[in-house]
Amino acid sequence: MKLGILTGGGDCPGLNAVIRAAVKMAAGQGIETVGIRDGFKGLIEGNFLPLGPREVQGILPKGGTILGTSNRDNPFHFRRVVGGVESHRDESGVLLQNAAAAGLERIIVIGGDGTMHIGDKLAGLGLGIVGVPKTIDNDLAATDVTFGFQTAVETATEAIDRLHTTAESHHRVMILELMGRDAGFIALYAGIAGGADVILIPEIPFTVEGILEKVYERAKAGRHFSIVVVAEGCLYEGQAVARETNEGNDYNALRLGGIGEVLRREIMAKGGPEARNTVLGHLQRGGSPVAFDRVLASRYGVAAVEAALAGKDRHMVCLCNGEISVVELEKALERLKTVDPGGNLVATARGLGISFGEEAAG
């Protein structure tokens, strides 16, 4: 057997750990592995990299991916520029030809929701696909947790810790905007861990007045500062806040960002205290993975090779009740996982006195 490995979508801590584990596991079974550069684009252009134990030495603690990645190269809608004219065409046939010419019997696809959807479509055309769930948003429903998420939470929590000192010193409302397009897991976990006063997530509607209720409640208690954590996907007056239209991105049409600044302006416009906004942005994606993500990514990498050996095409490895398992890709993609507003995590936050920006009844 000859295995291909590619990483798609946004980068995150732990990608290299998956690659390393898969290569080492495959080598132990006498299986050749080939890295595919820059996601699905590498399959379309035939851009491959031989991978063996020597090539993956020392990459366990490194962030990013040694293979490169892309969220703009959907093979079913692939961008071409000829003579300065841009067009999009279906290059899935070219991709399949290149995979066959390279002798790739199965491909381990490491990515999030968008990458898995493409992998599932390719599997439907006969290409052997084994998925590995990756997204810092932790929004894939078929797995308890995705690697990269815990590292992002640690980074966000440290940022909240640092904002506390400035907020208290200057008696300000400090807003921290975090990633989270459809799911507020990073904001919720980091907000609880960092002792935020207000957590805003896409799953729970909020108002500026609801935020100010918490701010004024703290002021009456002698706490003249507040920490507000907001996920970028939160809706303001029913609309997502976006920096620009992201037409080149195959997965998401809008480049989200700016909700924190909108809230800063509105808090002050409504007579609230001085407010400042910080956008953590891609800092959440970068850096060395924490131990939890290194272990989880390694488990996924080994399991992906095991699934390939067992002929589990069109499947994704996952973590279920603490154990590694496999699930059909179609089932894995039935829905996104989002925060349950009535679940234990939200109840825990409320029990700690954290507000979700809802106005008090009456």
Side-chain angles (χ1 to χ4, degrees):
M1 182 182 293
K2 190 175 183 181
L3 286 177
I5 304 175
L6 69 80
T7 51
D11 68 304
C12 82
L15 284 168
N16 284 326
V18 179
I19 296 168
R20 171 183 177 271
V23 169
K24 289 172 72 71
M25 175 64 179
Q29 301 295 316
I31 299 170
E32 182 181 354
T33 51
V34 174
I36 300 162
R37 295 185 185 273
D38 302 327
F40 293 106
K41 180 180 179 181
L43 271 174
I44 294 170
E45 298 182 346
N47 194 355
F48 304 130
L49 170 70
L51 289 178
R54 177 171 294 182
E55 284 75 23
V56 298
Q57 285 181 355
I59 69 171
L60 177 63
K62 292 183 178 180
T65 164
I66 62 169
L67 298 177
T69 189
S70 172
N71 58 6
R72 297 175 180 270
D73 295 302
N74 183 343
F76 296 95
H77 190 67
F78 192 72
R79 178 177 177 268
R80 295 284 192 188
V81 179
V82 179
V85 179
E86 179 178 326
S87 64
H88 292 82
R89 63 185 71 173
D90 184 350
E91 297 285 9
S92 58
V94 173
L95 183 152
L96 294 173
Q97 290 174 5
N98 287 338
L104 300 179
E105 298 179 44
R106 289 183 176 86
I107 297 175
I108 296 173
V109 174
I110 311 167
D113 179 70
T115 301
M116 292 301 155
H117 271 98
I118 293 173
D120 187 51
K121 289 183 69 175
L122 291 172
L125 297 178
L127 188 61
I129 296 290
V130 177
V132 176
K134 175 263 352 166
T135 167
I136 65 170
D137 285 352
N138 196 38
D139 59 1
L140 285 173
T143 187
D144 293 346
V145 65
T146 55
F147 74 88
F149 169 67
Q150 190 61 46
T151 303
V153 169
E154 296 284 348
T155 300
T157 300
E158 182 180 354
I160 296 171
D161 289 345
R162 292 177 180 273
L163 286 174
H164 264 284
T165 55
T166 296
E168 188 169 9
S169 297
H170 291 273
H171 312 302
R172 288 173 177 161
V173 173
M174 299 297 285
I175 302 166
L176 179 65
E177 181 181 317
L178 300 176
M179 288 183 172
R181 172 174 288 270
D182 299 298
F185 287 107
I186 296 177
L188 183 55
Y189 273 80
I192 293 174
D197 305 298
V198 179
I199 299 174
L200 307 176
I201 58 177
E203 296 85 348
I204 300 178
F206 71 91
T207 65
V208 174
E209 288 77 13
I211 298 170
L212 286 172
E213 280 186 11
K214 183 63 179 180
V215 171
Y216 295 145
E217 174 190 310
R218 286 176 52 77
K220 289 179 181 178
R223 306 292 284 171
H224 298 285
F225 71 96
S226 294
I227 302 293
V228 177
V229 175
V230 56
E232 65 182 1
C234 285
L235 302 182
Y236 179 70
E237 296 184 345
Q239 298 291 325
V241 179
R243 287 177 289 165
E244 58 185 294
T245 300
N246 200 13
E247 295 179 353
N249 188 309
D250 299 315
Y251 308 147
N252 300 303
L254 294 178
R255 189 185 297 274
L256 297 183
I259 181 67
E261 180 60 23
V262 169
L263 293 179
R264 184 196 70 81
R265 293 197 303 264
E266 288 301 305
I267 285 171
M268 296 179 67
K270 293 181 182 295
E274 188 175 5
R276 293 289 185 271
N277 174 50
T278 299
V279 181
L280 204 54
H282 287 85
L283 288 172
Q284 295 159 90
R285 292 193 179 279
S288 181
V290 297
F292 179 89
D293 282 336
R294 296 185 196 190
V295 173
L296 180 59
S298 297
R299 295 174 74 186
Y300 281 155
V302 168
V305 175
E306 291 176 339
L309 287 171
K312 294 288 187 180
D313 294 337
R314 210 168 187 175
H315 280 70
M316 184 186 82
V317 298
C318 60
L319 185 71
C320 183
N321 297 322
E323 297 296 326
I324 299 295
S325 183
V326 294
V327 63
E328 293 179 359
L329 264 176
E330 184 178 9
K331 183 177 180 181
L333 297 170
E334 285 179 347
R335 64 180 178 86
L336 282 177
K337 179 173 65 177
T338 56
V339 174
D340 179 3
N344 177 258
L345 273 173
V346 171
T348 297
R350 294 190 192 280
L352 293 170
I354 297 173
S355 167
F356 285 88
E358 304 152 299
E359 293 182 70

PDB file of all heavy atoms in Angstrom, residues 80-117:
ATOM      1  N   ARG A  80      -8.376  29.160 -11.729  1.00  0.00           N
ATOM      2  CA  ARG A  80      -7.339  29.264 -12.749  1.00  0.00           C
ATOM      3  C   ARG A  80      -7.306  30.697 -13.270  1.00  0.00           C
ATOM      4  O   ARG A  80      -8.341  31.348 -13.391  1.00  0.00           O
ATOM      5  CB  ARG A  80      -7.619  28.325 -13.929  1.00  0.00           C
ATOM      6  CG  ARG A  80      -7.585  26.838 -13.594  1.00  0.00           C
ATOM      7  CD  ARG A  80      -6.188  26.316 -13.443  1.00  0.00           C
ATOM      8  NE  ARG A  80      -6.154  24.851 -13.409  1.00  0.00           N
ATOM      9  CZ  ARG A  80      -5.060  24.155 -13.140  1.00  0.00           C
ATOM     10  NH1 ARG A  80      -3.923  24.786 -12.904  1.00  0.00           N
ATOM     11  NH2 ARG A  80      -5.104  22.835 -13.132  1.00  0.00           N
ATOM     12  N   VAL A  81      -6.101  31.192 -13.579  1.00  0.00           N
ATOM     13  CA  VAL A  81      -5.952  32.510 -14.195  1.00  0.00           C
ATOM     14  C   VAL A  81      -5.179  32.334 -15.491  1.00  0.00           C
ATOM     15  O   VAL A  81      -4.011  31.936 -15.485  1.00  0.00           O
ATOM     16  CB  VAL A  81      -5.216  33.495 -13.264  1.00  0.00           C
ATOM     17  CG1 VAL A  81      -5.059  34.850 -13.960  1.00  0.00           C
ATOM     18  CG2 VAL A  81      -5.966  33.661 -11.949  1.00  0.00           C
ATOM     19  N   VAL A  82      -5.839  32.591 -16.603  1.00  0.00           N
ATOM     20  CA  VAL A  82      -5.223  32.454 -17.922  1.00  0.00           C
ATOM     21  C   VAL A  82      -5.337  33.785 -18.649  1.00  0.00           C
ATOM     22  O   VAL A  82      -6.442  34.298 -18.860  1.00  0.00           O
ATOM     23  CB  VAL A  82      -5.908  31.336 -18.752  1.00  0.00           C
ATOM     24  CG1 VAL A  82      -5.252  31.244 -20.136  1.00  0.00           C
ATOM     25  CG2 VAL A  82      -5.821  30.007 -18.027  1.00  0.00           C
ATOM     26  N   GLY A  83      -4.185  34.360 -18.994  1.00  0.00           N
ATOM     27  CA  GLY A  83      -4.190  35.643 -19.690  1.00  0.00           C
ATOM     28  C   GLY A  83      -4.812  36.748 -18.871  1.00  0.00           C
ATOM     29  O   GLY A  83      -5.444  37.649 -19.437  1.00  0.00           O
ATOM     30  N   GLY A  84      -4.666  36.653 -17.559  1.00  0.00           N
ATOM     31  CA  GLY A  84      -5.221  37.661 -16.675  1.00  0.00           C
ATOM     32  C   GLY A  84      -6.696  37.498 -16.396  1.00  0.00           C
ATOM     33  O   GLY A  84      -7.283  38.304 -15.659  1.00  0.00           O
ATOM     34  N   VAL A  85      -7.308  36.461 -16.979  1.00  0.00           N
ATOM     35  CA  VAL A  85      -8.737  36.212 -16.775  1.00  0.00           C
ATOM     36  C   VAL A  85      -8.904  35.066 -15.775  1.00  0.00           C
ATOM     37  O   VAL A  85      -8.370  33.972 -15.979  1.00  0.00           O
ATOM     38  CB  VAL A  85      -9.440  35.866 -18.103  1.00  0.00           C
ATOM     39  CG1 VAL A  85     -10.915  35.582 -17.851  1.00  0.00           C
ATOM     40  CG2 VAL A  85      -9.268  37.014 -19.098  1.00  0.00           C
ATOM     41  N   GLU A  86      -9.657  35.326 -14.729  1.00  0.00           N
ATOM     42  CA  GLU A  86      -9.877  34.313 -13.701  1.00  0.00           C
ATOM     43  C   GLU A  86     -11.112  33.485 -14.017  1.00  0.00           C
ATOM     44  O   GLU A  86     -12.150  34.015 -14.435  1.00  0.00           O
ATOM     45  CB  GLU A  86     -10.042  34.980 -12.334  1.00  0.00           C
ATOM     46  CG  GLU A  86     -10.290  34.005 -11.194  1.00  0.00           C
ATOM     47  CD  GLU A  86     -10.408  34.687  -9.843  1.00  0.00           C
ATOM     48  OE1 GLU A  86      -9.715  35.708  -9.637  1.00  0.00           O
ATOM     49  OE2 GLU A  86     -11.192  34.213  -8.998  1.00  0.00           O
ATOM     50  N   SER A  87     -10.997  32.188 -13.837  1.00  0.00           N
ATOM     51  CA  SER A  87     -12.130  31.293 -14.013  1.00  0.00           C
ATOM     52  C   SER A  87     -12.021  30.157 -13.009  1.00  0.00           C
ATOM     53  O   SER A  87     -10.981  29.965 -12.383  1.00  0.00           O
ATOM     54  CB  SER A  87     -12.160  30.726 -15.439  1.00  0.00           C
ATOM     55  OG  SER A  87     -11.017  29.918 -15.675  1.00  0.00           O
ATOM     56  N   HIS A  88     -13.121  29.444 -12.839  1.00  0.00           N
ATOM     57  CA  HIS A  88     -13.142  28.297 -11.945  1.00  0.00           C
ATOM     58  C   HIS A  88     -13.646  27.088 -12.716  1.00  0.00           C
ATOM     59  O   HIS A  88     -14.587  27.182 -13.495  1.00  0.00           O
ATOM     60  CB  HIS A  88     -14.043  28.568 -10.736  1.00  0.00           C
ATOM     61  CG  HIS A  88     -13.512  29.619  -9.812  1.00  0.00           C
ATOM     62  ND1 HIS A  88     -13.686  30.966 -10.042  1.00  0.00           N
ATOM     63  CD2 HIS A  88     -12.785  29.511  -8.664  1.00  0.00           C
ATOM     64  CE1 HIS A  88     -13.111  31.654  -9.073  1.00  0.00           C
ATOM     65  NE2 HIS A  88     -12.567  30.815  -8.232  1.00  0.00           N
ATOM     66  N   ARG A  89     -12.994  25.956 -12.491  1.00  0.00           N
ATOM     67  CA  ARG A  89     -13.388  24.752 -13.199  1.00  0.00           C
ATOM     68  C   ARG A  89     -13.257  23.531 -12.297  1.00  0.00           C
ATOM     69  O   ARG A  89     -12.561  23.570 -11.285  1.00  0.00           O
ATOM     70  CB  ARG A  89     -12.549  24.578 -14.462  1.00  0.00           C
ATOM     71  CG  ARG A  89     -11.054  24.392 -14.184  1.00  0.00           C
ATOM     72  CD  ARG A  89     -10.238  24.346 -15.460  1.00  0.00           C
ATOM     73  NE  ARG A  89     -10.173  25.645 -16.097  1.00  0.00           N
ATOM     74  CZ  ARG A  89      -9.403  25.904 -17.159  1.00  0.00           C
ATOM     75  NH1 ARG A  89      -8.685  24.936 -17.703  1.00  0.00           N
ATOM     76  NH2 ARG A  89      -9.365  27.112 -17.669  1.00  0.00           N
ATOM     77  N   ASP A  90     -13.910  22.479 -12.686  1.00  0.00           N
ATOM     78  CA  ASP A  90     -13.857  21.220 -11.958  1.00  0.00           C
ATOM     79  C   ASP A  90     -12.596  20.468 -12.382  1.00  0.00           C
ATOM     80  O   ASP A  90     -12.480  20.025 -13.526  1.00  0.00           O
ATOM     81  CB  ASP A  90     -15.108  20.393 -12.262  1.00  0.00           C
ATOM     82  CG  ASP A  90     -15.174  19.093 -11.465  1.00  0.00           C
ATOM     83  OD1 ASP A  90     -14.165  18.733 -10.826  1.00  0.00           O
ATOM     84  OD2 ASP A  90     -16.236  18.437 -11.490  1.00  0.00           O
ATOM     85  N   GLU A  91     -11.638  20.345 -11.451  1.00  0.00           N
ATOM     86  CA  GLU A  91     -10.388  19.657 -11.724  1.00  0.00           C
ATOM     87  C   GLU A  91     -10.304  18.327 -10.983  1.00  0.00           C
ATOM     88  O   GLU A  91      -9.223  17.766 -10.820  1.00  0.00           O
ATOM     89  CB  GLU A  91      -9.198  20.543 -11.323  1.00  0.00           C
ATOM     90  CG  GLU A  91      -9.086  21.845 -12.088  1.00  0.00           C
ATOM     91  CD  GLU A  91      -8.576  21.652 -13.509  1.00  0.00           C
ATOM     92  OE1 GLU A  91      -8.476  20.492 -13.952  1.00  0.00           O
ATOM     93  OE2 GLU A  91      -8.270  22.658 -14.177  1.00  0.00           O
ATOM     94  N   SER A  92     -11.458  17.824 -10.544  1.00  0.00           N
ATOM     95  CA  SER A  92     -11.438  16.569  -9.794  1.00  0.00           C
ATOM     96  C   SER A  92     -10.919  15.411 -10.650  1.00  0.00           C
ATOM     97  O   SER A  92     -10.257  14.497 -10.131  1.00  0.00           O
ATOM     98  CB  SER A  92     -12.833  16.241  -9.258  1.00  0.00           C
ATOM     99  OG  SER A  92     -13.783  16.143 -10.314  1.00  0.00           O
ATOM    100  N   GLY A  93     -11.188  15.453 -11.952  1.00  0.00           N
ATOM    101  CA  GLY A  93     -10.685  14.406 -12.831  1.00  0.00           C
ATOM    102  C   GLY A  93      -9.173  14.394 -12.897  1.00  0.00           C
ATOM    103  O   GLY A  93      -8.532  13.329 -12.861  1.00  0.00           O
ATOM    104  N   VAL A  94      -8.580  15.578 -12.981  1.00  0.00           N
ATOM    105  CA  VAL A  94      -7.111  15.696 -12.980  1.00  0.00           C
ATOM    106  C   VAL A  94      -6.552  15.175 -11.670  1.00  0.00           C
ATOM    107  O   VAL A  94      -5.535  14.465 -11.631  1.00  0.00           O
ATOM    108  CB  VAL A  94      -6.694  17.166 -13.202  1.00  0.00           C
ATOM    109  CG1 VAL A  94      -5.180  17.335 -13.042  1.00  0.00           C
ATOM    110  CG2 VAL A  94      -7.138  17.647 -14.568  1.00  0.00           C
ATOM    111  N   LEU A  95      -7.204  15.539 -10.577  1.00  0.00           N
ATOM    112  CA  LEU A  95      -6.768  15.080  -9.252  1.00  0.00           C
ATOM    113  C   LEU A  95      -6.757  13.555  -9.179  1.00  0.00           C
ATOM    114  O   LEU A  95      -5.777  12.947  -8.717  1.00  0.00           O
ATOM    115  CB  LEU A  95      -7.702  15.666  -8.188  1.00  0.00           C
ATOM    116  CG  LEU A  95      -7.403  15.385  -6.730  1.00  0.00           C
ATOM    117  CD1 LEU A  95      -7.937  16.513  -5.845  1.00  0.00           C
ATOM    118  CD2 LEU A  95      -8.017  14.068  -6.259  1.00  0.00           C
ATOM    119  N   LEU A  96      -7.821  12.925  -9.650  1.00  0.00           N
ATOM    120  CA  LEU A  96      -7.905  11.467  -9.600  1.00  0.00           C
ATOM    121  C   LEU A  96      -6.832  10.816 -10.471  1.00  0.00           C
ATOM    122  O   LEU A  96      -6.230   9.809 -10.086  1.00  0.00           O
ATOM    123  CB  LEU A  96      -9.293  11.009 -10.037  1.00  0.00           C
ATOM    124  CG  LEU A  96     -10.456  11.395  -9.119  1.00  0.00           C
ATOM    125  CD1 LEU A  96     -11.794  11.025  -9.755  1.00  0.00           C
ATOM    126  CD2 LEU A  96     -10.324  10.731  -7.753  1.00  0.00           C
ATOM    127  N   GLN A  97      -6.563  11.412 -11.630  1.00  0.00           N
ATOM    128  CA  GLN A  97      -5.522  10.888 -12.510  1.00  0.00           C
ATOM    129  C   GLN A  97      -4.149  10.970 -11.846  1.00  0.00           C
ATOM    130  O   GLN A  97      -3.351  10.025 -11.923  1.00  0.00           O
ATOM    131  CB  GLN A  97      -5.512  11.657 -13.832  1.00  0.00           C
ATOM    132  CG  GLN A  97      -6.723  11.398 -14.716  1.00  0.00           C
ATOM    133  CD  GLN A  97      -6.740  12.287 -15.947  1.00  0.00           C
ATOM    134  OE1 GLN A  97      -5.797  13.045 -16.190  1.00  0.00           O
ATOM    135  NE2 GLN A  97      -7.817  12.218 -16.714  1.00  0.00           N
ATOM    136  N   ASN A  98      -3.867  12.100 -11.202  1.00  0.00           N
ATOM    137  CA  ASN A  98      -2.576  12.274 -10.545  1.00  0.00           C
ATOM    138  C   ASN A  98      -2.401  11.323  -9.368  1.00  0.00           C
ATOM    139  O   ASN A  98      -1.310  10.797  -9.131  1.00  0.00           O
ATOM    140  CB  ASN A  98      -2.404  13.716 -10.070  1.00  0.00           C
ATOM    141  CG  ASN A  98      -2.151  14.680 -11.208  1.00  0.00           C
ATOM    142  OD1 ASN A  98      -1.705  14.276 -12.287  1.00  0.00           O
ATOM    143  ND2 ASN A  98      -2.425  15.952 -10.991  1.00  0.00           N
ATOM    144  N   ALA A  99      -3.489  11.120  -8.617  1.00  0.00           N
ATOM    145  CA  ALA A  99      -3.429  10.180  -7.496  1.00  0.00           C
ATOM    146  C   ALA A  99      -3.143   8.771  -7.996  1.00  0.00           C
ATOM    147  O   ALA A  99      -2.320   8.042  -7.415  1.00  0.00           O
ATOM    148  CB  ALA A  99      -4.734  10.224  -6.710  1.00  0.00           C
ATOM    149  N   ALA A 100      -3.795   8.385  -9.089  1.00  0.00           N
ATOM    150  CA  ALA A 100      -3.579   7.057  -9.647  1.00  0.00           C
ATOM    151  C   ALA A 100      -2.168   6.918 -10.200  1.00  0.00           C
ATOM    152  O   ALA A 100      -1.502   5.889 -10.007  1.00  0.00           O
ATOM    153  CB  ALA A 100      -4.609   6.780 -10.741  1.00  0.00           C
ATOM    154  N   ALA A 101      -1.681   7.956 -10.896  1.00  0.00           N
ATOM    155  CA  ALA A 101      -0.338   7.917 -11.479  1.00  0.00           C
ATOM    156  C   ALA A 101       0.734   7.810 -10.397  1.00  0.00           C
ATOM    157  O   ALA A 101       1.787   7.185 -10.607  1.00  0.00           O
ATOM    158  CB  ALA A 101      -0.099   9.163 -12.330  1.00  0.00           C
ATOM    159  N   ALA A 102       0.467   8.404  -9.231  1.00  0.00           N
ATOM    160  CA  ALA A 102       1.422   8.351  -8.122  1.00  0.00           C
ATOM    161  C   ALA A 102       1.297   7.059  -7.321  1.00  0.00           C
ATOM    162  O   ALA A 102       2.086   6.821  -6.403  1.00  0.00           O
ATOM    163  CB  ALA A 102       1.215   9.554  -7.198  1.00  0.00           C
ATOM    164  N   GLY A 103       0.305   6.262  -7.657  1.00  0.00           N
ATOM    165  CA  GLY A 103       0.114   4.994  -6.960  1.00  0.00           C
ATOM    166  C   GLY A 103      -0.470   5.133  -5.573  1.00  0.00           C
ATOM    167  O   GLY A 103      -0.287   4.246  -4.734  1.00  0.00           O
ATOM    168  N   LEU A 104      -1.193   6.217  -5.340  1.00  0.00           N
ATOM    169  CA  LEU A 104      -1.765   6.449  -4.016  1.00  0.00           C
ATOM    170  C   LEU A 104      -3.073   5.677  -3.876  1.00  0.00           C
ATOM    171  O   LEU A 104      -4.082   6.022  -4.482  1.00  0.00           O
ATOM    172  CB  LEU A 104      -2.012   7.946  -3.808  1.00  0.00           C
ATOM    173  CG  LEU A 104      -0.782   8.852  -3.905  1.00  0.00           C
ATOM    174  CD1 LEU A 104      -1.174  10.307  -3.701  1.00  0.00           C
ATOM    175  CD2 LEU A 104       0.273   8.440  -2.885  1.00  0.00           C
ATOM    176  N   GLU A 105      -3.030   4.640  -3.076  1.00  0.00           N
ATOM    177  CA  GLU A 105      -4.226   3.819  -2.890  1.00  0.00           C
ATOM    178  C   GLU A 105      -5.220   4.477  -1.938  1.00  0.00           C
ATOM    179  O   GLU A 105      -6.439   4.324  -2.090  1.00  0.00           O
ATOM    180  CB  GLU A 105      -3.829   2.436  -2.374  1.00  0.00           C
ATOM    181  CG  GLU A 105      -2.940   1.658  -3.332  1.00  0.00           C
ATOM    182  CD  GLU A 105      -2.548   0.303  -2.775  1.00  0.00           C
ATOM    183  OE1 GLU A 105      -3.423  -0.393  -2.224  1.00  0.00           O
ATOM    184  OE2 GLU A 105      -1.361  -0.054  -2.868  1.00  0.00           O
ATOM    185  N   ARG A 106      -4.691   5.151  -0.953  1.00  0.00           N
ATOM    186  CA  ARG A 106      -5.559   5.866  -0.014  1.00  0.00           C
ATOM    187  C   ARG A 106      -4.866   7.163   0.402  1.00  0.00           C
ATOM    188  O   ARG A 106      -3.645   7.254   0.414  1.00  0.00           O
ATOM    189  CB  ARG A 106      -5.863   5.006   1.219  1.00  0.00           C
ATOM    190  CG  ARG A 106      -6.796   3.846   0.903  1.00  0.00           C
ATOM    191  CD  ARG A 106      -7.154   3.047   2.140  1.00  0.00           C
ATOM    192  NE  ARG A 106      -8.131   2.015   1.797  1.00  0.00           N
ATOM    193  CZ  ARG A 106      -7.808   0.810   1.323  1.00  0.00           C
ATOM    194  NH1 ARG A 106      -6.536   0.499   1.145  1.00  0.00           N
ATOM    195  NH2 ARG A 106      -8.757  -0.068   1.034  1.00  0.00           N
ATOM    196  N   ILE A 107      -5.685   8.150   0.778  1.00  0.00           N
ATOM    197  CA  ILE A 107      -5.146   9.445   1.194  1.00  0.00           C
ATOM    198  C   ILE A 107      -5.716   9.799   2.555  1.00  0.00           C
ATOM    199  O   ILE A 107      -6.935   9.756   2.766  1.00  0.00           O
ATOM    200  CB  ILE A 107      -5.498  10.542   0.169  1.00  0.00           C
ATOM    201  CG1 ILE A 107      -4.842  10.218  -1.174  1.00  0.00           C
ATOM    202  CG2 ILE A 107      -5.046  11.913   0.662  1.00  0.00           C
ATOM    203  CD1 ILE A 107      -5.225  11.163  -2.287  1.00  0.00           C
ATOM    204  N   ILE A 108      -4.825  10.124   3.469  1.00  0.00           N
ATOM    205  CA  ILE A 108      -5.221  10.614   4.790  1.00  0.00           C
ATOM    206  C   ILE A 108      -5.404  12.122   4.671  1.00  0.00           C
ATOM    207  O   ILE A 108      -4.461  12.851   4.373  1.00  0.00           O
ATOM    208  CB  ILE A 108      -4.166  10.268   5.854  1.00  0.00           C
ATOM    209  CG1 ILE A 108      -4.064   8.747   6.014  1.00  0.00           C
ATOM    210  CG2 ILE A 108      -4.508  10.926   7.193  1.00  0.00           C
ATOM    211  CD1 ILE A 108      -2.931   8.295   6.921  1.00  0.00           C
ATOM    212  N   VAL A 109      -6.628  12.568   4.858  1.00  0.00           N
ATOM    213  CA  VAL A 109      -6.989  13.978   4.705  1.00  0.00           C
ATOM    214  C   VAL A 109      -7.190  14.579   6.103  1.00  0.00           C
ATOM    215  O   VAL A 109      -8.087  14.167   6.831  1.00  0.00           O
ATOM    216  CB  VAL A 109      -8.269  14.124   3.858  1.00  0.00           C
ATOM    217  CG1 VAL A 109      -8.723  15.566   3.822  1.00  0.00           C
ATOM    218  CG2 VAL A 109      -8.026  13.600   2.443  1.00  0.00           C
ATOM    219  N   ILE A 110      -6.362  15.538   6.456  1.00  0.00           N
ATOM    220  CA  ILE A 110      -6.413  16.160   7.782  1.00  0.00           C
ATOM    221  C   ILE A 110      -7.024  17.539   7.623  1.00  0.00           C
ATOM    222  O   ILE A 110      -6.459  18.405   6.952  1.00  0.00           O
ATOM    223  CB  ILE A 110      -5.000  16.274   8.400  1.00  0.00           C
ATOM    224  CG1 ILE A 110      -4.256  14.941   8.303  1.00  0.00           C
ATOM    225  CG2 ILE A 110      -5.078  16.740   9.845  1.00  0.00           C
ATOM    226  CD1 ILE A 110      -2.769  15.046   8.609  1.00  0.00           C
ATOM    227  N   GLY A 111      -8.189  17.763   8.217  1.00  0.00           N
ATOM    228  CA  GLY A 111      -8.827  19.065   8.048  1.00  0.00           C
ATOM    229  C   GLY A 111     -10.120  19.178   8.812  1.00  0.00           C
ATOM    230  O   GLY A 111     -10.517  18.280   9.552  1.00  0.00           O
ATOM    231  N   GLY A 112     -10.786  20.296   8.601  1.00  0.00           N
ATOM    232  CA  GLY A 112     -12.042  20.580   9.279  1.00  0.00           C
ATOM    233  C   GLY A 112     -13.235  20.277   8.386  1.00  0.00           C
ATOM    234  O   GLY A 112     -13.165  19.470   7.454  1.00  0.00           O
ATOM    235  N   ASP A 113     -14.327  20.973   8.641  1.00  0.00           N
ATOM    236  CA  ASP A 113     -15.589  20.690   7.973  1.00  0.00           C
ATOM    237  C   ASP A 113     -15.485  20.816   6.454  1.00  0.00           C
ATOM    238  O   ASP A 113     -15.914  19.928   5.710  1.00  0.00           O
ATOM    239  CB  ASP A 113     -16.666  21.637   8.520  1.00  0.00           C
ATOM    240  CG  ASP A 113     -18.018  21.422   7.856  1.00  0.00           C
ATOM    241  OD1 ASP A 113     -18.631  20.377   8.113  1.00  0.00           O
ATOM    242  OD2 ASP A 113     -18.441  22.300   7.089  1.00  0.00           O
ATOM    243  N   GLY A 114     -14.902  21.913   5.965  1.00  0.00           N
ATOM    244  CA  GLY A 114     -14.789  22.105   4.528  1.00  0.00           C
ATOM    245  C   GLY A 114     -13.930  21.058   3.865  1.00  0.00           C
ATOM    246  O   GLY A 114     -14.280  20.511   2.811  1.00  0.00           O
ATOM    247  N   THR A 115     -12.792  20.761   4.467  1.00  0.00           N
ATOM    248  CA  THR A 115     -11.888  19.749   3.926  1.00  0.00           C
ATOM    249  C   THR A 115     -12.550  18.376   3.900  1.00  0.00           C
ATOM    250  O   THR A 115     -12.409  17.613   2.934  1.00  0.00           O
ATOM    251  CB  THR A 115     -10.595  19.696   4.765  1.00  0.00           C
ATOM    252  OG1 THR A 115      -9.966  20.981   4.743  1.00  0.00           O
ATOM    253  CG2 THR A 115      -9.619  18.664   4.227  1.00  0.00           C
ATOM    254  N   MET A 116     -13.287  18.055   4.964  1.00  0.00           N
ATOM    255  CA  MET A 116     -13.952  16.758   5.028  1.00  0.00           C
ATOM    256  C   MET A 116     -15.062  16.638   3.983  1.00  0.00           C
ATOM    257  O   MET A 116     -15.289  15.569   3.417  1.00  0.00           O
ATOM    258  CB  MET A 116     -14.519  16.517   6.425  1.00  0.00           C
ATOM    259  CG  MET A 116     -13.458  16.323   7.493  1.00  0.00           C
ATOM    260  SD  MET A 116     -12.362  14.940   7.152  1.00  0.00           S
ATOM    261  CE  MET A 116     -10.907  15.455   8.070  1.00  0.00           C
ATOM    262  N   HIS A 117     -15.762  17.725   3.708  1.00  0.00           N
ATOM    263  CA  HIS A 117     -16.790  17.680   2.665  1.00  0.00           C
ATOM    264  C   HIS A 117     -16.166  17.383   1.306  1.00  0.00           C
ATOM    265  O   HIS A 117     -16.718  16.596   0.511  1.00  0.00           O
ATOM    266  CB  HIS A 117     -17.559  19.000   2.617  1.00  0.00           C
ATOM    267  CG  HIS A 117     -18.753  19.045   3.513  1.00  0.00           C
ATOM    268  ND1 HIS A 117     -18.720  19.631   4.766  1.00  0.00           N
ATOM    269  CD2 HIS A 117     -20.004  18.560   3.366  1.00  0.00           C
ATOM    270  CE1 HIS A 117     -19.907  19.506   5.336  1.00  0.00           C
ATOM    271  NE2 HIS A 117     -20.705  18.862   4.515  1.00  0.00           N
TER     272      HIS A 117
END
